[in-house]
């Protein structure tokens, strides 16, 4: 396998249940280091060290002994997605329509049964503009409409084979006269500035832009909920018709509520498939029998007609992914731009805490910490803060995505003079524990059986039975000196956002989680 493919597989370890995935060091490793601009002295050191340690793999290397061996016939590997709500739920490309329609009744039932349990503060809502027209008739959303198609920065988006394939597919689509449906929000956020360089040199950037995939930045975007708002008419259609719409992204997480609060079905796909679904505009298309659209001559255009050949992709890699690009881009990677360099920063060995900062606050984890851990004690007279079902992931527990004005975190920021336009996201404010603890268990798709028929961070304060946010209830329990526990089902805490899945409940006063 090329090293970029190995890295993609290694980085998907949480999805197949491992801590990490490791490939041996071999000639391909050295080739990659050389092609990405590493100094020759480092490459020689890697080879010498790996050979000395017996870790360098060649055709003559003795077979390693493992406790378990799994054999995979590469000829059986086929195009697949994951979804609609967990990264480990692989679905064959041909079975995606069935996957969506099988999940639809449950997603619809939840959408229609769930209602806000607490008063909602209007956030300056205005009447939505009329939807754009397609072929002379007004656009109409439906269940399964793809409203977000995002090439994101994580997992596979520094892999030139899939990025160039996405560019080639866009080029062929444009040449056949295809365009992205008007309800699809598209974005390109690669994992490296080198990606921008080789897409541009290969002449593919203009075609990606013509189908809506403009560069929005580098780093976490849609995959962590930073997709921004949907067009007003799309949001209003989803809300009024209680639609189950979809997102397709090339990231590695699609847990409930993570990508966008209004999108209930989320599928992980390769970058070229992200472009294909943006063109189709719906998740339940049968690629074997249904066309993407028609060309100028009225002829149907199928995905197989515009899908790039592997040889063509490799030819572009050979010509346009060059060592000099990596050297040029990363030579100044730590210098920053004019905005970064103009920031005033204090000097010294220790961080100067600003008590007025709403981004970074002195964390309380080490306050009054004894030199020896105290003994474990019984939990007495506890109350249950939440009763949760199966597959409550770290994304249900840890704060992620946008901050709502009527949430405890939003109210905290408003009280400190931060306007809603400057809320930013939980990810940007993870250095402020006051914001993060208020967002713990605040996932918009969390369903707490103590508050049946609701979604979001809502609970019932016991024994009175008053409905309130989980944060407000936790603070009342803490003020009364009452410890709390969480009851969960299977797979509680699976996922990747583990630090705040531990710190958040701790700060809420949760003493234990009892899960199946």
């Amino acid at each position: 396998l090329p090293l970029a493919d190995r890295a993609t597989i290694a980085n998907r370890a949480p999805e197949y249940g491992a801590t990490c995935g490791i490939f041996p060091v071999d000639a391909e490793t050295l080739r990659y280091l050389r092609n990405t601009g590493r100094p020759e002295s480092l490459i020689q050191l890697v080879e010498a060290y790996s050979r000395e340690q017996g870790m360098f793999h060649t055709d003559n290397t003795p077979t390693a002994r493992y406790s378990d061996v799994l054999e995979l016939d590469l000829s059986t590997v086929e195009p697949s997605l994951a979804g609609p709500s967990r990264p480990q739920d692989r679905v064959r490309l041909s079975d995606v329509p069935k996957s969506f329609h099988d999940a639809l009744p449950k997603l619809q039932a939840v959408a229609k049964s769930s209602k806000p349990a607490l008063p909602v503060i209007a956030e300056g809502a205005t009447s939505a503009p009329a939807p754009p027209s397609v072929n002379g008739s007004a656009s109409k959303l439906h269940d399964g409409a793809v409203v977000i198609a995002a090439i994101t920065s994580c997992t596979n988006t520094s892999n030139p084979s899939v990025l160039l394939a996405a560019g080639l597919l866009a080029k062929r689509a444009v040449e056949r006269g295809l365009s992205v449906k008007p309800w699809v929000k598209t974005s390109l956020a690669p994992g490296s500035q080198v990606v921008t360089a080789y897409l541009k040199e290969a002449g593919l950037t203009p075609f990606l832009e013509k189908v809506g995939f403009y560069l929005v930045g580098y780093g976490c975007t849609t995959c962590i909920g930073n997709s921004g708002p949907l067009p007003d008419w799309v949001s209003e259609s989803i809300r009024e018709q209680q639609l189950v719409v979809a997102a397709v992204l090339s990231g590695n997480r699609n847990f409930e509520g993570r990508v966008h609060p209004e999108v209930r079905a989320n599928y992980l796909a390769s970058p070229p498939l992200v472009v294909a679904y943006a063109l189709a505009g719906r998740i339940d298309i049968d690629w074997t029998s249904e066309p993407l659209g028609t060309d100028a001559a009225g002829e149907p255009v199928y995905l197989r007609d515009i899908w790039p050949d592997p040889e063509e992709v490799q030819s572009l890699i050979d010509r346009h992914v060059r060592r000099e690009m990596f050297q040029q881009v990363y030579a100044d990677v730590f210098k920053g731009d004019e905005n970064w360099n103009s920031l005033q920063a204090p000097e010294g060995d220790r961080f100067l805490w600003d008590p007025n900062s709403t981004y970074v606050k002195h964390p309380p984890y080490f306050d009054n910490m004894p030199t020896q851990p105290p003994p474990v004690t019984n939990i007495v007279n506890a109350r249950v803060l939440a009763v949760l079902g199966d597959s409550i992931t770290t994304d249900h527990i840890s704060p992620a995505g946008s901050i709502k004005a009527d949430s405890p975190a939003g109210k905290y920021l408003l009280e400190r003079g931060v306007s809603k336009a400057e809320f930013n996201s939980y990810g940007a404010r993870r250095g402020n524990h006051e914001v993060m603890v208020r967002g713990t268990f605040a996932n918009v798709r969390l369903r707490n059986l103590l508050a049946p028929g609701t979604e979001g961070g809502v609970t019932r304060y016991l024994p009175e039975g008053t409905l309130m946010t989980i944060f407000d209830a936790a603070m009342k329990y803490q003020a009364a000196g009452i410890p709390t526990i969480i009851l969960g089902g299977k797979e509680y805490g699976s996922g990747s956002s583990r630090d705040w899945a531990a710190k958040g409940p701790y700060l809420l006063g949760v003493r234990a989680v009892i899960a199946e």
Side-chain angles (χ1 to χ4, degrees), residues 338-401:
E338 181 181 346
N339 295 312
W340 175 260
N341 291 319
S342 65
L343 290 174
Q344 298 298 312
E347 298 180 355
D349 294 338
R350 296 191 176 184
F351 187 80
L352 295 179
W353 300 101
D354 178 359
N356 297 318
S357 174
T358 56
Y359 276 98
V360 184
K361 288 184 72 70
H362 194 292
Y365 317 119
F366 305 110
D367 294 347
N368 305 314
M369 180 180 281
T371 54
Q372 295 296 322
V376 175
T377 58
N378 291 336
I379 301 171
V380 181
N381 295 326
R383 292 288 182 186
V384 176
L385 188 60
V387 180
L388 308 172
D390 293 340
S391 295
I392 297 300
T393 69
T394 56
D395 270 46
H396 293 91
I397 309 164
S398 304

Side-chain angles (χ1 to χ4, degrees), residues 52 109 119 175 182 203 270 283 314 320 402 423 474 497:
E52 188 67 23
E175 291 170 346
S270 67
I283 195 66
Q314 188 59 51
H320 300 294
S402 59
F423 273 10
S497 305

